[in-house]
Amino acid sequence: MTITTTSKVWLITACSSGFGREMTLAALARGDKVIATARDPKKLTELAARGATTMALDVTSSDEALKRVIAEAVNVYGRIDVLVNNAGYILQGAVEECSTKEIFDQFNTNVFGALAVLRAVLPHMRARRSGVIANMGSIGGWDGHVNAGLYCSSKFALAALSISLKGELEHLGIEVTCIEPGYFRTNFLSSGHRNKAANEIQDYVDATAPVAKGLDAYNKNQPGDPVKGAKVIVEALSGDYGKKLPARLALGSDAVKFIDGIIEKSRTTLEEWAPLVKNTDCEDV
């Protein structure tokens, strides 16, 4: 299929709802081409009707299976300009409550899946010396939270991987960023996207129950508009703002405020402890 040299080709994971859906629509509105994926492509009927190419893609598939899917995706338009690793969910539970399988599944989707997809896409981008990779992180990647320690740690990991990749790929003309949204009014806090650990330990209830109750109350009342957020993401990844993409890109007024608070808190703690901990060098330094 022939496309213009100015339009971009996007591959976005987890497009059946939320940011995946809205990013697909925002990119299509620009005249770009989008390969929208989901584990069940039947859930992408609306996006197909709006002009997206839809494909089945499960980020937890084997490397071999993902390479075949990405090769098929590249063949559609001849290239992939922008990859957005959007698949993810929240595992709710105190750290001790979460089973080994639940922990693995959390990281398998949020971290290992993103890694597997980008590793399948990167050979094609390297060959062209061009591309953008965006991993969908979270403000949870800046601070641990009660009842969501595994989710937060997965987003910490994704941020660190994005920063490392940025340094490795910059000289090859490939940009990398970790987009870190605050709370947007999607279905991310609903059942199916927020999965509760099967084991509940009574000793933790006093700490975890208020958090769960707060998230329930916040569901569908989040401040962020996903349509506006998706538009900013697409414009940023397209280079519309004339700014070099940062390694970590906050999204939402609450995200900016939250991250600023974490940075300030970290600086205060660092300065408090610095006189005690910095005098540990060898005598010959």
Side-chain angles (χ1 to χ4, degrees), residues 7 11 20 36-37 67-68 96 98 119 123 142 158 162 183 185 200 234 245 261 277 283:
S7 62
L11 189 145
T37 72
K67 285 178 182 178
R68 288 194 295 270
E96 186 185 351
C98 300
R119 287 172 57 244
W142 280 87
L158 200 58
S162 300
Y183 287 90
R185 205 166 295 179
E200 182 175 273
V234 169
L245 281 174
V277 301
E283 294 302 324

Side-chain angles (χ1 to χ4, degrees), residues 174-185:
I174 301 169
E175 295 185 83
V176 182
T177 189
C178 185
I179 299 167
E180 299 178 313
Y183 287 90
F184 279 77
R185 205 166 295 179

Side-chain angles (χ1 to χ4, degrees), residues 6-285:
T6 55
S7 62
K8 294 184 181 296
V9 178
W10 298 67
L11 189 145
I12 306 173
T13 64
C15 293
S16 60
S17 63
F19 269 122
R21 176 184 180 276
E22 299 304 336
M23 285 187 287
T24 297
L25 294 174
L28 290 172
R30 295 171 54 86
D32 290 347
K33 303 298 182 182
V34 182
I35 301 169
T37 72
R39 285 179 298 177
D40 181 2
K42 293 177 183 176
K43 295 181 178 180
L44 303 175
T45 305
E46 178 206 359
L47 295 180
R50 302 281 288 270
T53 296
T54 59
M55 295 178 60
L57 190 156
D58 182 344
V59 302
T60 65
S61 299
S62 68
D63 285 351
E64 293 72 22
L66 286 172
K67 285 178 182 178
R68 288 194 295 270
V69 173
I70 296 305
E72 181 183 346
V74 170
N75 284 337
V76 175
Y77 298 114
R79 66 181 194 264
I80 295 172
D81 297 310
V82 184
L83 166 66
V84 182
N85 272 315
N86 178 58
Y89 70 94
I90 299 173
L91 173 60
Q92 177 183 305
V95 171
E96 186 185 351
E97 291 176 329
C98 300
S99 69
T100 298
K101 184 181 185 307
E102 289 169 334
I103 294 168
F104 174 79
D105 288 346
Q106 174 77 117
F107 273 77
N108 201 25
T109 296
N110 290 14
V111 183
F112 306 147
L115 272 172
V117 173
L118 70 84
R119 287 172 57 244
V121 170
L122 270 175
H124 302 281
M125 288 186 172
R126 284 193 292 105
R128 297 182 61 246
R129 291 297 194 266
S130 176
V132 177
I133 294 173
N135 297 316
M136 290 297 288
S138 165
I139 58 171
W142 280 87
D143 195 18
H145 294 276
V146 172
N147 215 16
L150 276 305
Y151 171 74
C152 291
S153 61
S154 74
K155 295 303 183 179
F156 266 87
L158 200 58
L161 288 166
S162 300
I163 294 167
S164 300
L165 277 167
K166 188 174 184 66
E168 293 172 353
L169 296 172
E170 199 164 23
H171 72 288
L172 298 175
I174 301 169
E175 295 185 83
V176 182
T177 189
C178 185
I179 299 167
E180 299 178 313
Y183 287 90
F184 279 77
R185 205 166 295 179
T186 67
N187 56 3
F188 196 61
L189 295 181
S190 303
S191 176
H193 299 273
R194 177 161 61 106
N195 299 341
K196 190 177 185 301
N199 182 36
E200 182 175 273
I201 299 174
Q202 194 62 34
D203 281 347
Y204 290 113
V205 170
D206 286 348
T208 59
V211 176
K213 187 175 181 180
L215 291 177
D216 288 339
Y218 214 35
N219 188 23
K220 302 303 181 184
N221 292 301
Q222 301 96 319
D225 182 336
V227 175
K228 293 179 180 178
K231 185 174 184 292
V232 170
I233 292 172
V234 169
E235 290 174 349
L237 299 184
S238 299
D240 290 357
Y241 301 135
K243 299 177 181 292
K244 186 176 181 181
L245 281 174
R248 307 179 77 166
L249 179 61
L251 187 71
S253 61
D254 59 340
V256 172
K257 182 178 180 180
F258 177 81
I259 294 170
D260 185 56
I262 294 298
I263 292 171
E264 182 61 30
K265 180 181 176 182
S266 298
R267 176 161 296 282
T268 299
T269 302
L270 183 65
E271 291 173 351
E272 177 187 355
W273 281 86
L276 298 171
V277 301
K278 69 181 182 181
N279 297 318
T280 53
D281 294 339
C282 294
E283 294 302 324
D284 59 353
V285 174

